[in-house]
Amino acid sequence: MATLEIECPECGELLELDENEVAEFEVGDVLVCGSCETEMEVTVNDGEDFELAVVDYGQFVQCPSCGEDFEVSQQQLDTAPTIESADGVSALLVDCPHCQARIELELEDESDG
C-alpha cells in the first residue's frame, strides 16, 4: 500500500497517510498536524494530485464607508500597521478592497479575557 508523506509547513513534522486515507478526503476537509495542531485544508484531491493549504483564520469586516463585507486574512492582520489613539486604544489599519477606504480595526485587550 502506497504512503503519502506530507511535511507540515509550520513545524516540519512528517505526516504519513496511506492511499485509503487519502481517498477518503474531499476538497474542503481539514487535516490537523498531530505535533503543532496546524490545520490544513484539502484543496485538490482528484485521484492523481493531493494538495493542502494552511487554513487562514481571518475575520470578516463590514466597511463603514461603503457597507460591503470583506474578509481580512490572518496574514493581513499580522502585517497591518498599528496606530494608537489619544485615549490609548490600539487599532490595525486595513484598506477596504471595494472602496479603498482606510479602516481602523480596534485590537482587543488580551487582559480583558
Side-chain angles (χ1 to χ4, degrees), residues 2-97:
T3 300
L4 176 63
E5 294 181 340
I6 301 166
E7 185 176 319
C8 175
E10 295 297 317
C11 72
E13 180 77 16
L14 195 60
L15 310 171
E16 295 182 355
L17 303 172
D18 69 42
E19 61 190 18
N20 293 330
E21 290 174 309
V22 171
E24 291 177 8
F25 281 107
E26 296 180 12
V27 171
D29 286 348
V30 174
L31 178 68
V32 180
C33 175
S35 179
C36 69
E37 298 186 11
T38 293
E39 295 182 8
M40 295 164 277
E41 181 179 1
V42 176
T43 57
V44 175
N45 191 7
D46 62 13
E48 292 181 23
D49 294 321
F50 183 79
E51 295 179 15
L52 299 168
V54 174
V55 176
D56 181 5
Y57 291 108
Q59 64 178 323
F60 280 92
V61 175
Q62 183 177 43
C63 176
S65 293
C66 69
E68 292 289 332
D69 291 330
F70 63 96
E71 184 175 10
V72 180
S73 71
Q74 186 61 50
Q75 181 180 9
Q76 288 171 303
L77 293 172
D78 291 344
T79 59
T82 303
I83 62 167
E84 190 169 321
S85 64
D87 60 359
V89 176
S90 295
L92 297 176
L93 296 176
V94 297
D95 295 326
C96 173

